[in-house]
Amino acid sequence: MDFLGEDTLEQSQADATREAYLVLLRELGAAGLSDGGRVEVSLKLSALGQALPRDGERICLDNARRICAAAQEAGTTVTLDMEDHTTTDATLATLGELRQDFPWVGAVLQAYLRRTEADCRDLATSGSRVRLCKGAYREPESVAFQETVEVDTSYVRCARILLEGQGYPMLATHDPQIIEVVQSVVEGAGRAPDSYEWQMLYGIRPLEQQRIADAGQQLRVYLPYGQEWYGYLMRRMAERPANTMFFLRALATKK
């Protein structure tokens, strides 16, 4: 679950986001939904104060620590969402800080960034949870692949590194061709069904989600919520126009 909000420039907003996650985790725990990581939370560090003009990194880390502590008490986990490329190093640095006390904190890597293969190698270690996605932000050619075939090829290369490593890969994609190719990598790596998972957005290709679950594989559904949905959607459309067609196709088909 992801409480919508990003690009926070006031500490009161960062504090409100932190409190929303603390309430969510208490309620998940009380309902028995968080045991064993059944429902986990995803955090955007920009929503927790990363970009605040004064002490942003410290405020963000403090907020994330409190959320991680609440998640641990509830019996679940946290994954740090990745945003545009200018925040990658800072996000990975925060990941490293959090993993000193909470080694189960997950990371997100974006296959369209040219650096991601190296990041996958660094993070494909024992106990390391890594979500691999294609990436949704508009990025310059100097740091990111621009052509679809390049991004797809990078995704498969990165997935192979993670699946052949010692960590716990979380394969986030709705692309049927990617799923087919990566499934063969899963089988070649001899991965047990509980040693990795697929991830998809709520409402996108629900029949494929059911097929994966029926096949005995783990699938996690990504559910954003909150009042900031309109800005979230519009920013995604503006940053990467291809997302518009993605959402329209998703509305037209359940496959």
Side-chain angles (χ1 to χ4, degrees):
M1 298 188 72
D2 172 26
F3 181 70
L4 289 172
E6 53 194 282
D7 298 330
T8 294
L9 296 177
E10 296 182 10
Q11 185 166 347
S12 60
Q13 291 177 286
D15 292 345
T17 297
R18 179 198 66 220
E19 291 305 308
Y21 275 106
L22 296 181
V23 169
L24 171 63
L25 287 162
R26 284 197 297 269
E27 294 185 355
L28 289 174
L33 294 173
S34 56
D35 294 345
R38 289 174 59 202
V39 180
E40 75 148 19
V41 297
S42 284
L43 309 179
K44 282 186 171 57
L45 295 184
S46 66
L48 295 177
Q50 187 182 56
L52 290 176
R54 184 172 182 178
D55 294 330
E57 295 291 345
R58 179 189 59 79
I59 292 168
C60 170
L61 179 59
D62 289 346
N63 285 335
R65 283 189 189 281
R66 290 186 59 182
I67 294 169
C68 287
Q72 184 164 273
E73 183 176 350
T76 190
T77 52
V78 170
T79 296
L80 305 184
D81 281 339
M82 192 64 76
E83 301 178 69
D84 72 87
H85 80 279
T86 64
T87 66
T88 300
D89 285 331
T91 298
L92 292 177
T94 299
L95 174 74
E97 292 284 345
L98 292 172
R99 282 188 172 180
Q100 293 181 31
D101 296 315
F102 309 101
W104 39 259
V105 174
V108 176
L109 297 177
Q110 301 173 106
Y112 70 168
L113 294 182
R114 299 179 185 274
R115 62 176 288 170
T116 298
E117 279 190 70
D119 289 331
C120 284
R121 293 190 183 92
D122 290 340
L123 292 176
T125 56
S126 179
S128 177
R129 299 169 56 253
V130 180
R131 177 194 302 154
L132 178 66
C133 63
K134 288 187 178 182
Y137 294 82
R138 181 186 291 274
E139 301 282 18
E141 187 173 2
S142 59
V143 301
F145 299 113
Q146 304 296 308
E147 300 298 327
T148 299
V149 65
E150 293 180 304
V151 177
D152 290 352
T153 301
S154 176
Y155 190 100
V156 173
R157 288 197 303 264
C158 292
R160 185 180 300 278
I161 292 169
L162 295 175
L163 287 164
E164 292 179 350
Q166 301 300 310
Y168 181 85
M170 301 179 286
L171 306 164
T173 181
H174 306 91
D175 188 322
Q177 291 181 316
I178 292 290
I179 292 172
E180 182 178 359
V181 173
V182 172
Q183 183 59 54
S184 68
V185 178
V186 168
E187 295 168 1
R191 281 276 179 169
D194 63 352
S195 69
Y196 70 98
E197 66 185 50
W198 299 95
Q199 296 190 353
M200 293 186 179
L201 286 164
Y202 176 74
I204 305 297
R205 303 194 69 209
L207 296 184
E208 176 65 4
Q209 294 184 21
Q210 190 65 54
R211 183 194 70 78
I212 290 173
D214 288 345
Q217 301 180 72
Q218 296 189 119
L219 182 130
R220 189 178 301 275
V221 177
Y222 188 91
L223 177 62
Y225 75 101
Q227 297 181 347
E228 300 298 322
W229 66 269
Y230 184 79
Y232 170 86
L233 181 61
M234 291 301 102
R235 275 190 293 276
R236 291 298 170 269
M237 297 300 188
E239 289 161 348
R240 195 166 174 82
N243 287 341
T244 304
M245 290 306 300
F246 171 78
F247 283 110
L248 291 176
R249 284 197 299 269
L251 292 173
T253 179
K254 293 183 177 181
K255 296 182 179 180

